[in-house]
Amino acid sequence: MSNAIERQSSVTRRELLTVAAGALAATALAGVRSQAAEDNRPLIIDTHVHLWDLKKFTLPWLEMAPELFRRDYLLADYQQAIAGFNVRSMYMEVDVTPEQHEKEAQFASALDNQSGSPFIGAVVGGRPGGAGFGDYVATLKKLPRVSGVRQVLHAPTTPQGFCLKSDFVRGVQLLGKHGLTFDMCMRPTDISDCVALAEQCPDTQLVLDHCGNGDPKAFRKVSDADKPAAHDASQWRRDIEKLAQRKNVACKISGAMFHAPKGWTTADMAPVVNHCLDSFGMDRVVFGADWPVCLVGGTFARWVGVVAELIASRSAADRQKLWSENAQRVYGLSRS
């Protein structure tokens, strides 16, 4: 894997400054995509891709989800979404019924066998606090390309502090003993739980999904009656900074478009993304598109363009870390 990594190139700050502010994101995106047409295309490792086939899997949460998601999202759909980019991808679990966790893991592990598949790794569903989790982890270790486990912790039925129960903590510790990661998908008001979990699981690589679900509207004071801000900006900043002090935690630069206000711009995304980049540092951040959930706010291509613009003034080495290098280390992809 490591020998196949191509050097990341990106849009320069000078290029961005040559256009009007309203065209910045488009310019950044054009730079990324034009490079993708060349032999030495910049590599993007997308660490957060959901696929689901409703004929094979049951996703109970879809009953309350927007109509946009009540359909199949298959490999071919994702391949169309990333056309023109040099992308390798990681499957992210889709909260199937617990009885289907092993079936989902088998599916995710075999994604790379399909024609033209960009998938090189997977984070699968699991219940760290559940009975038989140790046996499940043993099963996962036999599957190629499974890097870790996730349990969504922001469901209405999941109270604050759920991930700090003793059985849950032991399950996350077990993942670390087996070289597997745990993705934390939390309410933005529950990030303090992540801090406590990280302190109790120092030998497990944890990944905070979606910039801690930071809501751009909380920072820009943008009015959106349909989607009010989900949290207080100041407390979120403090919680992110405290979590970033735990060296076993990485942050996934993803998810912000889901909370975006109507008519949003890159400037609306900047407070969330930049605070995570600055708090965690460029050695502990990874890129994720959160496709197809991102479609609530924009396409895969638009999110790449936003991130490209926001990191354009950083060094080429740091940009490469975010696009691909950190993901290889955090998720152990070079070992897959």
Side-chain angles (χ1 to χ4, degrees):
M1 173 66 187
S2 59
N3 291 335
I5 300 304
E6 301 146 345
R7 185 164 184 81
Q8 170 74 34
S9 62
S10 185
V11 182
T12 67
R13 185 169 180 80
R14 177 177 297 177
E15 289 170 324
L16 290 172
L17 292 175
T18 61
V19 295
L24 287 177
T27 301
L29 176 57
V32 173
R33 299 196 73 166
S34 65
Q35 287 292 323
E38 301 177 4
D39 290 338
N40 295 321
R41 297 177 299 173
L43 175 66
I44 298 173
I45 296 182
D46 182 356
T47 64
H48 209 99
V49 184
H50 303 291
L51 301 177
W52 59 78
D53 183 340
L54 298 180
K55 296 182 293 298
K56 296 180 179 179
F57 294 104
T58 301
L59 284 60
W61 58 273
L62 283 180
E63 295 180 6
M64 302 297 293
E67 187 68 27
L68 173 67
F69 301 135
R70 298 178 194 175
R71 47 152 285 194
D72 293 340
Y73 283 92
L74 308 178
L75 175 59
D77 300 313
Y78 178 65
Q79 289 173 311
Q80 183 176 0
I82 64 174
F85 294 93
N86 181 21
V87 177
R88 302 296 179 269
S89 311
M90 292 189 66
Y91 173 87
M92 176 55 66
E93 66 93 20
V94 295
D95 205 13
V96 299
T97 59
E99 296 79 14
Q100 293 184 325
H101 279 157
E102 188 168 339
K103 179 181 178 182
E104 180 192 38
Q106 297 280 356
F107 163 79
S109 177
L111 273 171
D112 69 320
N113 295 329
Q114 300 187 44
S115 176
S117 172
F119 284 87
I120 57 174
V123 173
V124 300
R127 297 291 184 268
F133 186 68
D135 292 336
Y136 180 58
V137 170
T139 298
L140 296 182
K141 288 297 295 179
K142 298 176 184 177
L143 297 176
R145 289 165 294 284
V146 171
S147 297
V149 168
R150 183 177 82 154
Q151 178 178 354
V152 171
L153 297 171
H154 57 62
T157 55
T158 305
Q160 185 176 15
F162 182 84
C163 67
L164 301 180
K165 293 182 178 180
S166 57
D167 288 346
F168 197 104
V169 171
R170 283 194 292 270
V172 175
Q173 291 171 342
L174 180 65
L175 290 172
K177 292 178 181 177
H178 287 274
L180 297 171
T181 64
F182 183 70
D183 268 57
M184 303 181 294
C185 195
M186 316 286 291
R187 288 178 285 264
T189 52
D190 293 351
I191 296 174
S192 59
D193 287 353
C194 298
V195 177
L197 182 64
E199 290 173 347
Q200 296 180 69
C201 304
D203 297 324
T204 303
Q205 175 66 66
L206 305 178
V207 181
L208 179 68
D209 289 349
H210 307 330
C211 296
N213 280 306
D215 187 341
K217 297 185 296 299
F219 304 89
R220 305 296 294 185
K221 297 181 180 180
V222 177
S223 176
D224 189 333
D226 295 329
K227 297 170 67 177
H231 61 83
D232 172 73
S234 298
Q235 186 61 52
W236 178 87
R237 286 192 186 98
R238 291 191 295 269
D239 289 342
I240 288 291
E241 290 167 2
K242 188 172 182 180
L243 181 59
Q245 295 174 16
R246 309 307 307 179
K247 299 305 181 184
N248 58 321
V249 182
C251 182
K252 189 172 296 184
I253 304 302
S254 63
M257 287 198 305
F258 179 80
H259 303 286
K262 296 176 181 177
W264 66 271
T265 68
T266 300
D268 294 310
M269 303 293 110
V272 172
V273 172
N274 286 336
H275 188 66
C276 289
L277 294 177
D278 293 339
S279 297
F280 282 88
M282 296 303 290
D283 289 323
R284 289 191 292 134
V285 288
V286 298
F287 173 82
D290 193 25
W291 188 92
V293 178
C294 68
L295 296 177
V296 169
T299 62
F300 173 93
R302 187 170 187 190
W303 183 239
V304 171
V306 167
V307 175
E309 179 181 346
L310 292 176
I311 65 173
S313 63
R314 298 178 186 264
S315 71
D318 281 347
R319 297 196 300 269
Q320 184 174 340
K321 289 175 183 178
L322 173 63
W323 288 126
S324 61
E325 283 189 355
N326 292 343
Q328 297 171 64
R329 183 189 71 255
V330 168
Y331 285 112
L333 298 179
S334 61
R335 300 193 301 271
S336 299

